């Protein structure tokens, strides 16, 4: 019960911070005379998707993710370091590395992408886009790649929860066009500039800049692309959702299309191949490749 209360506290506290940031960005862009940054129906859909995601994820963390963490913990190194500057920094960096792996796999494996596609399915970039998440994340299994390596090393589960939540809070502030380059920080940290590339759907932008807090993972593993070298960024995905303002549809259409492809082609390899593999293999996608309707601007 205590873990459930902690989850609800995170939802409430950070929800208020995120809403304040969204409101501030909207007022700032209006004051600067910028229109088309926020779109009413899409913003509502993003907020609804984010709320459902965080409620389900928080309960999942409280009910079974941390329980599985503790079960795995007994088979690991059980390091359990005392709180120090070194151990805290080690945890932050390690959790970000695990996020990089998790995030990379969400783009490379159709099963994981079916949930993650929601986050990439907006044609716009603002703070509300950060909340465009999918409540099925807790059931997709990709969280194992993010949580469980820390259990094997032996970090305390409460430390890991704080590190993961902190990682997500940091990433929220990457979703904006109002912050341009950040100088020397661009070399080490993931920044709005780097993350704009990640949300692009043109060839030079797809599957780039997977880092959470740090960008050096991408530079180390060859997935980095500087915004200046990425060309004009077109936000969205190759197959845009047919109902861009329906939060339930936004969170389920990827899974529906996955099931349709598997059923149509009777090929279970589609589950673990990359997202475009079925189209490339069979040349007959089960989903309609049409652009989303243009959102009204405010």
């Amino acid at each position: 019960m205590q873990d459930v209360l902690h989850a609800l506290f995170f939802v409430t506290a950070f929800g208020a911070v995120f809403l304040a940031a969204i409101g501030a960005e909207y007022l700032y862009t209006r004051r600067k005379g910028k229109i088309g940054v926020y779109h009413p129906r899409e913003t509502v859909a993003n907020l609804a998707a984010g709320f459902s995601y965080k409620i389900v994820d928080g309960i999942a963390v409280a009910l079974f993710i941390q329980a599985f963490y503790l079960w795995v913990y007994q088979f690991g190194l059980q390091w359990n370091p005392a709180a120090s500057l070194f151990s805290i920094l080690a945890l932050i960096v390690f959790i970000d590395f695990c996020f990089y792996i998790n995030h990379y796999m969400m783009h490379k494996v159709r099963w994981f992408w079916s949930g993650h596609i929601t986050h990439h399915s907006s044609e716009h970039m603002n703070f509300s886009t950060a909340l465009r998440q999918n409540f099925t994340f807790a059931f997709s299994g990709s969280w194992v790649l993010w949580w469980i390596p820390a259990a094997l090393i032996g970090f305390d589960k409460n430390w890991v929860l704080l590190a993961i939540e902190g990682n997500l809070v940091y990433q929220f502030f990457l979703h904006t066009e109002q912050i341009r380059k950040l100088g020397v920080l661009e070399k080490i940290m993931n920044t709005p500039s780097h993350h704009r590339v990640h949300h692009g759907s043109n060839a030079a932008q797809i599957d780039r800049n997977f880092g959470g807090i740090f960008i050096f993972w991408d530079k180390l593993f060859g997935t980095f692309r500087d915004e200046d070298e990425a060309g004009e960024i077109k936000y969205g995905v190759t197959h845009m959702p047919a109902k861009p303002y329906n939060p339930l549809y936004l969170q389920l259409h990827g899974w529906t299309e996955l099931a349709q492809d598997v059923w149509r082609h009777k090929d279970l390899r589609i589950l673990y191949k990359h997202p475009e593999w079925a189209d490339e293999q069979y040349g007959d996608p089960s989903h309609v490749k049409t652009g989303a309707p243009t959102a009204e601007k405010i």
Side-chain angles (χ1 to χ4, degrees):
M1 184 61 183
Q2 193 67 28
D3 286 338
V4 174
L5 292 177
H6 286 164
L8 293 176
F9 169 77
F10 276 119
V11 171
T12 303
F14 289 117
V17 172
F18 296 157
L19 287 175
I22 289 169
E25 184 182 42
Y26 170 70
L27 292 175
Y28 172 81
T29 57
R30 295 295 289 182
R31 188 173 297 113
K32 292 292 184 179
K34 300 179 181 180
I35 63 172
V37 177
Y38 277 88
H39 308 263
R41 294 175 66 190
E42 181 177 279
T43 300
V44 171
N46 292 347
L47 293 175
F51 180 78
S52 63
Y53 154 74
K54 203 55 194 172
I55 289 294
V56 173
D57 185 67
I59 294 175
V61 167
L63 293 184
F64 66 83
I65 292 179
Q66 291 194 82
F68 184 67
Y69 186 98
L70 289 174
W71 181 77
V72 172
Y73 181 92
Q74 64 185 316
F75 303 109
L77 300 176
Q78 299 185 24
W79 180 31
N80 194 22
S84 68
L85 179 61
F86 171 77
S87 61
I88 292 172
L89 288 177
L91 177 60
I92 291 171
V93 172
F94 184 72
I95 286 297
D96 199 63
F97 171 69
C98 293
F99 173 79
Y100 174 89
I101 299 299
N102 173 40
H103 197 185
Y104 181 88
M105 295 300 290
M106 286 195 287
H107 280 252
K108 295 298 186 178
V109 176
R110 179 75 181 274
W111 174 266
F112 296 145
W113 175 249
S114 296
H116 189 55
I117 189 175
T118 303
H119 183 59
H120 283 265
S121 62
S122 172
E123 294 179 300
H124 312 103
M125 179 64 94
N126 55 60
F127 283 148
S128 79
T129 306
L131 303 183
R132 193 182 182 93
Q133 301 289 346
N134 197 313
F135 72 86
T136 66
F137 172 78
F139 309 109
S140 71
S142 70
W143 56 266
V144 170
L145 300 172
W146 199 6
W147 278 80
I148 301 309
L152 292 173
I153 289 179
F155 285 108
D156 180 86
K157 72 176 178 65
N158 293 318
W159 283 29
V160 173
L161 175 60
L162 288 173
I164 288 176
E165 291 293 346
N167 195 291
L168 290 172
V169 170
Y170 179 90
Q171 290 185 56
F172 171 88
F173 293 99
L174 301 176
H175 295 80
T176 181
E177 293 183 306
Q178 310 315 310
I179 300 173
R180 305 314 297 175
K181 294 278 189 172
L182 293 176
V184 68
L185 290 179
E186 301 283 337
K187 297 182 181 299
I188 300 173
M189 309 299 292
N190 196 8
T191 65
S193 173
H194 297 325
H195 202 61
R196 286 192 289 271
V197 175
H198 179 71
H199 274 260
S201 61
N202 287 330
Q205 301 146 18
I206 292 175
D207 291 347
R208 297 289 178 174
N209 301 355
F210 293 104
I213 294 176
F214 303 110
I215 201 63
F216 48 66
W217 308 120
D218 291 280
K219 294 182 178 182
L220 180 63
F221 296 113
T223 53
F224 175 71
R225 179 83 72 193
D226 189 273
E227 188 175 24
D228 293 336
E229 301 171 352
E232 182 179 358
I233 296 178
K234 178 184 177 183
Y235 299 116
V237 291
T238 306
H239 307 144
M240 291 298 288
K243 300 177 182 179
Y245 310 127
N246 183 326
L248 184 61
Y249 176 87
L250 289 174
Q251 294 175 94
L252 296 180
H253 78 93
W255 296 107
T256 301
E257 291 168 3
L258 171 62
Q260 289 172 341
D261 278 354
V262 171
W263 178 259
R264 172 179 297 221
H265 303 301
K266 305 298 188 294
D267 192 340
L268 291 178
R269 291 178 297 174
I270 293 171
L271 297 175
Y272 60 82
K273 292 291 188 176
H274 67 79
E276 300 296 328
W277 185 82
D279 292 2
E280 296 170 358
Q281 183 78 3
Y282 297 103
D284 185 21
S286 62
H287 35 77
V288 180
K289 296 182 180 180
T290 58
T294 301
E296 66 272 36
K297 300 178 179 181
I298 58 175

